[in-house]
Amino acid sequence: MSSPKSQLGFDQNQRKIIIGEQQDSELGPLCHLPGSWQNIGNLQGHGWNMIALPFAAGDLDYRLLMNQYDETLTFNLVDKGVPNRGIPDDQSVATLDYTQIINQIAADDFPQSGLAGKPGLAIHHEPGLWLHMRDQLTDDLDIARLSSIPHGDAVIALGKSAQSQSGFEIPALNGLPIGVSGDIDSNPYLVPYKHFRDHPFEGLFDPTQANALLQKAIAPLLRDGKVRNTTKLEVRSTAASGSVNNIPFVTRQANAAEMHSTFWIYELTETDSNGNPKLWMQYSQTVILDFFNRKDRPGELIRWPHISINTLEKVNT
């Protein structure tokens, strides 16, 4: 029988469920995450999101929706020493739960639908888990992200962690759909993307250069030597046994087929009021939505990148 360790957890065969603390060695590359992360003032306009959606009333049958948003990302409970039983040896996993809450600052779409919504609208809620596989690894995959989305999606994405004192390059990211001609200036089907390329959303966000605001935000800190260490957490639903599963309506209308996300966690040389290094986080996430038939490959669907990016700071440690 298990006996209560505290009001928040229990201790049985070294397994513990407790409130997460920063620098917990059992969390490995996830050790900076416990606590709450929020947007940094008005840095580069908070978070940004772009998604193409089926739109029956439009001439193109789709609209491109852009959102500017505020986010609170909270990592709370740690489940240590989770045993996966096996022969000849067990696997030990440490997990960290999270909740992501996103509220809209501004939104626009093209063609305009009247459905973009007003400021303050809740546009995303996601509970989930990050896993640190401590041993018995497959293909050196040491981290995983499990996500549940209220639209009716469940994601398992696996990947590898890495650390660097010099930082990591944030790659360029083009949000154009895959399976149509990419000539944005001559293909009338891409008019919504051309509209926001020529007139960036809120004067800042260009869907054809989706990661540019992340690059711009972190560049001064890297240039001036204000980043002591960077941890990269990169996961894909296409790695090993990863997957995305959806309820039937989502699968039928705009199937969420793949997810790829990268988080960069920056330990700064500047310290907080407690003398701990200040922490920044950036992420870039792409979910591939499949809908509408390709003309060049019968039986295949157009693939639409749904991209979200943000720059956050740790607000408690």
Side-chain angles (χ1 to χ4, degrees):
M1 295 181 61
S2 61
S3 59
K5 181 70 174 178
S6 70
Q7 293 181 341
L8 298 171
F10 61 90
D11 186 0
Q12 183 180 18
N13 297 327
Q14 304 303 312
R15 182 173 179 175
K16 301 177 182 179
I17 302 176
I18 60 175
I19 296 295
E21 296 182 356
Q22 189 174 319
Q23 299 299 342
D24 186 335
S25 61
E26 291 188 51
L27 289 174
L30 311 179
C31 68
H32 290 307
L33 295 180
S36 184
W37 302 75
Q38 294 180 354
N39 284 105
I40 301 176
N42 195 36
L43 181 63
Q44 298 304 320
H46 301 263
W48 302 91
N49 175 76
M50 56 158 285
I51 182 171
L53 298 167
F55 182 44
D59 294 337
L60 300 174
D61 292 332
Y62 81 93
R63 61 189 174 102
L64 186 60
L65 174 64
M66 313 289 278
N67 308 95
Q68 180 188 24
Y69 62 83
D70 263 333
E71 175 177 354
T72 299
L73 182 56
T74 303
F75 299 85
N76 191 18
L77 290 178
V78 174
D79 192 348
K80 297 184 180 182
V82 180
N84 288 332
R85 304 305 185 185
I87 298 174
D89 298 308
D90 296 340
Q91 181 184 54
S92 177
V93 178
T95 76
L96 178 62
D97 77 358
Y98 73 89
T99 303
Q100 183 184 40
I101 301 292
I102 291 178
N103 293 302
Q104 183 164 277
I105 297 173
D108 193 11
D109 57 6
F110 192 92
Q112 291 193 336
S113 66
L115 302 173
K118 297 180 180 180
L121 180 69
I123 59 174
H124 190 73
H125 161 228
E126 179 182 319
L129 292 168
W130 277 92
L131 276 60
H132 173 220
M133 283 83 77
R134 303 181 62 193
D135 49 31
Q136 305 297 320
L137 302 184
T138 298
D139 299 329
D140 294 326
L141 300 170
D142 65 336
I143 54 174
R145 177 181 167 195
L146 284 61
S147 306
S148 301
I149 295 90
H151 294 286
D153 316 276
V155 181
I156 298 179
L158 299 105
K160 302 178 183 180
S161 64
Q163 292 196 10
S164 172
Q165 293 183 343
S166 58
F168 296 93
E169 180 181 0
I170 298 176
L173 182 59
N174 190 329
L176 292 179
I178 302 162
V180 300
S181 169
D183 188 344
I184 194 171
D185 290 306
S186 62
N187 186 352
Y189 196 61
L190 297 179
V191 165
Y193 292 88
K194 184 178 187 302
H195 170 79
F196 285 115
R197 184 204 65 180
D198 296 344
H199 309 281
F201 175 53
E202 293 296 294
L204 290 169
F205 187 57
D206 174 357
T208 68
Q209 300 182 55
N211 277 348
L213 294 179
L214 295 181
Q215 297 165 342
K216 185 175 181 180
I218 198 61
L221 275 69
L222 293 172
R223 182 188 63 233
D224 297 339
K226 294 182 178 181
V227 176
R228 178 181 301 171
N229 191 59
T230 305
T231 299
K232 182 171 75 169
L233 309 173
E234 183 171 10
V235 294
R236 297 177 181 270
S237 65
T238 54
S241 57
S243 65
V244 180
N245 293 287
N246 313 291
I247 62 173
F249 181 88
V250 172
T251 300
R252 184 169 63 249
Q253 296 292 339
N255 184 45
E258 299 178 10
M259 188 274 280
H260 171 213
S261 67
T262 306
F263 286 69
W264 298 271
I265 303 157
Y266 304 98
E267 183 179 348
L268 306 185
T269 56
E270 184 180 357
T271 58
D272 61 20
S273 59
N274 297 320
N276 298 315
K278 287 189 175 182
L279 296 171
W280 277 27
M281 173 195 293
Q282 294 187 304
Y283 68 77
S284 177
Q285 174 174 292
T286 301
V287 176
I288 296 295
L289 306 178
D290 292 345
F291 60 92
F292 296 160
N293 292 320
R294 294 179 61 156
K295 294 182 179 180
D296 60 335
R297 296 183 185 177
E300 295 187 24
L301 300 178
I302 299 172
R303 317 207 79 187
W304 306 83
H306 164 26
I307 296 172
S308 304
I309 65 168
N310 205 354
T311 300
L312 307 165
E313 69 177 339
K314 187 76 166 291
V315 295
N316 68 335
T317 56

